[in-house]
Amino acid sequence: MVEIQATYDSGEPLAEAQVQVYDPTNPQTPRFTGKTDRGGQFSFTPDQPGTWEVTVRQAGHGASSAIPVDNTGAVAATFSGNSQLTLLQKSLIAGAIIWGSIGTALYFRQGKR
């Protein structure tokens, strides 16, 4: 059984939030749907190995997680629910920020002439 705990950034439970779980063979149609309980918890039992996608949403808040399930039905030991950016993604974000800053500075500099 896979149990999730949905919370806001503040740590407060995401109570009564909509949950959709997609199995590895059909990522377009939810295999399980439901709501989190008052504590923001939801559980489901995967019946096949692979990466299960879980989305939790409530009033504009929420997130998605890819949960790897091994052949025994357990969550893979290396799984962490925290989404980590790769070095390439971090570099692209930094480049976009720098590019945007330069463009903004040049735009306002032209207005002074």
Side-chain angles (χ1 to χ4, degrees), residues 54-76:
V54 178
T55 62
V56 180
R57 299 273 183 247
Q58 181 185 52
H61 298 278
S64 295
S65 284
I67 301 175
V69 175
D70 66 19
N71 290 333
T72 66
V75 174

Side-chain angles (χ1 to χ4, degrees), residues 102-112:
I102 291 170
T104 302
L106 291 174
Y107 173 78
F108 285 112
R109 186 173 179 202
Q110 272 189 339
K112 293 181 179 180

